[in-house]
Amino acid sequence: MSTATAPAHPREVLADLLPASRVRDIALVLGGAALTGLAAQLSVPVPGSPVPVTGQTFAALLVGTTLGARRGLFSLALYALLGLAGVPWFAGGASGATVSFGYILGMLLAATVVGALARRGADRSVLRTAGAMLLGEAIIYAVGVPYLAVSADMSFSAAIAAGLTPFLIGDALKAALAMGVLPTAWKLVRR
């Protein structure tokens, strides 16, 4: 009985289509962090919530999906660390450990997960992309809502009302956008 197996070759993510180099990877990580920081500036306050609607979550999931798990993790880690260090690129130009910092930690984890799923082809079809994006959003909330409850001294039900419920429609729209963008990008690069 042989225990040897064929080596696993992970599928490519969109970033892998660029010529491979360390410089490419560094530029992609920096670009992913910058994109997330810029998207966070698209910020709309939500009445009754300390958490605004931003483009940040969409950017974080897009970064993870297009760069893959490792580069997505590094991009969001860089974004989080620089924001903690004082770079004003969290939502609305904030920095430091704000009440919404848990969502940033969730984005870090979500970018890693959706990046791993993209390596398995989750960004190639509309339905699989929808599943990956919805899982990513669920991860962000699973970390962000409890953090909000603790940091803002809210009950868990109040944190759900302020930090989850008002965002569900917008997140469905972001998932729909990703469902169109990512599979279409793959179709274009295959030509």
Side-chain angles (χ1 to χ4, degrees):
M1 172 184 223
S2 173
T3 58
T5 60
H9 295 290
R11 293 178 79 172
E12 293 178 322
V13 293
L14 285 167
D16 294 333
L17 301 176
L18 298 171
S21 75
R22 186 164 287 185
V23 171
R24 172 203 69 176
D25 289 342
I26 291 169
L28 289 171
V29 166
L30 292 171
L35 174 68
T36 307
L38 286 172
Q41 303 320 301
L42 302 170
S43 178
V44 178
V46 175
S49 176
V51 181
V53 170
T54 70
Q56 185 178 26
T57 55
F58 179 72
L61 294 174
L62 192 62
V63 164
T65 307
T66 58
L67 300 187
R70 186 175 52 85
R71 289 180 298 232
L73 170 66
F74 291 158
S75 286
L76 272 290
L78 179 63
Y79 170 69
L81 290 172
L82 289 176
L84 282 174
V87 174
W89 63 355
F90 291 163
S95 63
T98 65
V99 295
S100 60
F101 187 71
Y103 295 95
I104 294 167
L105 295 174
M107 288 176 216
L108 200 151
L109 180 58
T112 306
V113 170
V114 298
L117 291 172
R119 286 236 179 257
R120 291 166 179 81
D123 60 342
R124 307 298 200 287
S125 73
V126 171
L127 288 178
R128 292 182 81 188
T129 301
M133 294 297 116
L134 293 175
L135 177 60
E137 292 286 352
I139 291 168
I140 293 168
Y141 288 122
V143 177
V145 171
Y147 186 98
L148 176 64
V150 170
S151 66
D153 195 27
M154 300 173 135
S155 69
F156 192 66
S157 61
I160 288 172
L164 171 66
T165 307
F167 303 94
L168 293 176
I169 293 173
D171 287 339
L173 294 173
K174 293 174 195 177
L177 180 60
M179 288 169 22
V181 170
L182 294 167
T184 301
W186 276 109
K187 285 178 185 172
L188 290 174
V189 298
R190 286 185 187 136
R191 290 183 182 179

